[in-house]
Amino acid sequence: MAASSARVDLDGNTINPFTICMIGAGGFIGSHLCEKLLTETPHTVLAVDVYNDKIKHLLEGPDSLPWAGRIQFHRLNIKNDSRLEGLIKCSDLTVNLAAICTPADYNTRPLDTIYSNFIDALPVVKYCSENNKRLIHFSTCEVYGKTIGSYLPQDSPLRQDPAYYILKEDTSPCIFGPIEKQRWSYACAKQLIERLIYAEGAENGLEFTIVRPFNWIGPRMDFIPGIDGPSEGVPRVLACFSNNLLRREPLKLVDGGESQRTFVYIKDAIEAVLLMIENPARANGHIFNVGNPNNEVTVRQLAEMMTKVYSKVSGEDSIETPTVDVSSKEFYGEGYDDSDKRIPDMTIINKQLGWDPKTSLWDLLESTLTYQHRTYAEAVKQSVAKAVAS
Ligand SMILES: NC(=O)c1ccc[n+]([C@@H]2O[C@H](COP(=O)([O-])OP(=O)(O)OC[C@H]3O[C@@H](n4cnc5c(N)ncnc54)[C@H](O)[C@@H]3O)[C@@H](O)[C@H]2O)c1
Ligand SMILES: O=c1ccn([C@@H]2O[C@H](COP(=O)(O)OP(=O)(O)O[C@H]3OC[C@@H](O)[C@H](O)[C@H]3O)[C@@H](O)[C@H]2O)c(=O)[nH]1
């Protein structure tokens, strides 16, 4: 779709083109947000990241592209680069996506996780506050931790009561396991940065929006180990299961695959972020859950569905034993723990921005696994053949 110059917000006001400093623009969510902004809006993106592979298709190409001149890539590490403040100063809005956000890191690299999600975000918040710039900060659904229901006896009928498991921005508590369960290093760092941003808003008038994504998935998420990421790397579940399917290996179910998640299609979720960007009067000062409460499955059900969908899109029969159980200690190491259940309450985002997710789990897996097959099947085949030959 061509970039439109006469866009109006939800209240009918004309939206003037603005400049967005997007930190972490080279990642999964950033790449989709860049694509959306460049192809459907007149806004300009200052894309900040240490990598740009996932946005190369937007950075390269002829000057005749509709977005030519509206994206600049700045390769910098926000930990230690004095150019950051200048980029924030010359933008109207900063979107901060930069983080270590893969569970395999939370218990094995807790210091890096805490630094990345709290310490490294501090200058971003400070520069926005001091320069009166709006900030959209990416937090996580993990700040809710475990549900209240998970502490009730197994046979308690209250476990079925939504009051004990639906996660609401303004009323749910944040329940983490003990300190030695280092899994919660990420959630805790994200919670503290949320509190800091909230306090900057309350005491210094920072205009902010906090986003809590609930398992956004789709093309370009993470990496396939040994193909476009380290062979021993452990990405998030979509990429782990994709890797197993591509290699015709059983999908590994951690602790029986009993945890539950709601998955939302990245393209639906990006619509929500665009609404936040273009409707500051409705988004400022709010924390938004962004997820799809209708797409709840256990991890085991996800594995079964992905196996069926992959068979359909690849034309290959599934293997005889499609799943295998592994303990969390074996898979993630010491200090792993898990969120039991994650259903977002959608009242606030629905009221403020009129947003609702649309895509069913089956449909989003079909388009995502079609992409995975098209992008990786040949490379995986070659890498397996090479390993057998050597
Ligand atoms: N994908 C999800 O479902 C999900 C769920 C909850 C929260 N989030 C949050 O959303 C944000 C984006 O997630 P994603 O899935 O796109 O992850 P991602 O890992 O694909 O993207 C993060 C990007 O930030 C960059 N980055 C990290 N540290 C940096 C630094 N010091 N300097 C410059 N760039 C740096 C990385 O290179 C990467 O490209 C994160 O803050 C994450 O915690 C995502
Ligand atoms: O191969 C695998 C990988 C993962 N899993 C399980 O699948 C579930 C989902 O795991 P993911 O790796 O996608 O990550 P989680 O949903 O636990 O956390 C994510 O939530 C929101 C974000 O902040 C982060 O992107 C990440 O922390 C977990 O229960 C995990 O134990 C498997 O059973 N097998």
Side-chain angles (χ1 to χ4, degrees):
M1 204 192 292
S4 146
S5 49
R7 294 177 67 79
V8 287
D9 68 16
L10 292 171
D11 299 303
N13 305 309
T14 303
I15 301 166
N16 294 318
F18 40 68
T19 299
I20 300 163
C21 175
M22 195 191 303
I23 306 168
F28 163 58
I29 295 176
S31 72
H32 286 274
L33 186 54
C34 285
E35 219 168 67
K36 183 87 175 172
L37 288 165
L38 295 179
T39 56
E40 293 184 27
T41 79
H43 308 310
T44 294
V45 179
L46 307 183
V48 173
D49 206 305
V50 282
Y51 303 112
N52 66 10
D53 314 26
K54 294 184 186 190
I55 52 170
K56 268 220 163 95
H57 60 295
L58 302 170
L59 299 172
E60 293 170 351
D63 287 349
S64 55
L65 284 172
W67 57 82
R70 287 197 292 115
I71 182 162
Q72 280 173 20
F73 179 65
H74 298 264
R75 190 182 300 278
L76 62 93
N77 188 330
I78 62 163
K79 270 183 190 304
N80 49 24
D81 201 305
S82 58
R83 289 173 291 172
L84 181 64
E85 184 169 12
L87 291 170
I88 289 176
K89 266 187 175 169
C90 68
S91 305
D92 302 296
L93 157 73
T94 294
V95 177
N96 189 12
L97 294 148
I100 288 177
C101 51
T102 310
D105 292 322
Y106 307 163
N107 58 314
T108 55
R109 298 169 58 204
L111 283 176
D112 287 342
T113 301
I114 293 166
Y115 272 78
S116 170
N117 284 284
F118 181 66
I119 307 284
D120 300 347
L122 286 175
V124 177
V125 180
K126 180 170 163 260
Y127 298 148
C128 287
S129 190
E130 287 174 357
N131 294 290
N132 297 317
K133 299 292 181 180
R134 201 178 153 216
L135 171 65
I136 297 183
H137 185 84
F138 273 68
S139 179
T140 175
C141 57
E142 292 224 353
V143 295
Y144 294 108
K146 301 187 185 220
T147 62
I148 306 172
S150 71
Y151 288 91
L152 294 168
Q154 277 300 338
D155 56 355
S156 166
L158 289 177
R159 278 183 174 245
Q160 308 311 317
D161 182 340
Y164 292 87
Y165 61 79
I166 297 278
L167 303 168
K168 291 186 186 221
E169 298 93 328
D170 51 353
T171 54
S172 295
C174 304
I175 307 174
F176 306 150
I179 303 298
E180 66 188 31
K181 295 284 185 196
Q182 297 203 72
R183 156 62 183 254
W184 304 109
S185 60
Y186 168 76
C188 195
K190 286 281 203 199
Q191 190 201 133
L192 191 53
I193 199 75
E194 278 199 18
R195 290 189 185 274
L196 184 105
I197 292 168
Y198 196 91
E200 279 289 349
E203 291 189 29
N204 296 325
L206 172 68
E207 290 185 343
F208 73 88
T209 302
I210 289 170
V211 187
R212 292 181 179 167
F214 280 64
N215 293 76
W216 300 8
I217 61 174
R220 296 198 290 268
M221 184 167 199
D222 299 336
F223 58 90
I224 296 299
I227 305 296
D228 55 2
S231 314
E232 301 306 314
V234 181
R236 287 169 285 187
V237 69
L238 175 81
C240 284
F241 285 175
S242 300
N243 183 39
N244 299 142
L245 291 165
L246 285 156
R247 294 179 191 278
R248 299 186 64 71
E249 299 166 350
L251 280 59
K252 293 183 176 153
L253 299 178
V254 172
D255 292 340
E258 284 174 9
S259 299
Q260 291 168 293
R261 296 287 187 272
T262 50
F263 293 93
V264 64
Y265 192 34
I266 182 71
K267 291 186 195 294
D268 288 353
I270 289 294
E271 293 277 352
V273 183
L274 184 57
L275 284 165
M276 292 173 208
I277 290 175
E278 296 196 321
N279 291 275
R282 288 167 176 256
N284 283 347
H286 286 282
I287 300 178
F288 292 117
N289 286 343
V290 181
N292 188 336
N294 303 318
N295 281 349
E296 191 187 31
V297 278
T298 62
V299 174
R300 180 179 291 279
Q301 289 166 333
L302 175 74
E304 289 164 357
M305 198 185 281
M306 283 182 67
T307 303
K308 276 197 200 128
V309 172
Y310 190 70
S311 210
K312 181 178 173 199
V313 303
S314 67
E316 296 167 5
D317 287 338
S318 52
I319 59 172
E320 209 166 299
T321 315
T323 59
V324 62
D325 285 1
V326 291
S327 72
S328 53
K329 192 166 173 200
E330 205 183 321
F331 192 79
Y332 288 112
E334 208 64 66
Y336 182 74
D337 200 358
D338 208 353
S339 300
D340 52 306
K341 187 172 174 76
R342 278 186 192 155
I343 303 187
D345 181 272
M346 304 301 293
T347 312
I348 296 182
I349 192 158
N350 201 267
K351 176 166 170 265
Q352 292 302 117
L353 301 172
W355 178 83
D356 268 317
K358 296 187 175 59
T359 313
S360 70
L361 186 56
W362 178 277
D363 287 351
L364 76 85
L365 288 177
E366 193 163 331
S367 58
T368 305
L369 292 182
T370 300
Y371 170 89
Q372 302 289 59
H373 184 66
R374 206 179 50 225
T375 310
Y376 294 110
E378 197 45 47
V380 167
K381 224 176 255 168
Q382 284 178 17
S383 125
V384 171
K386 215 166 145 190
V388 171
S390 63

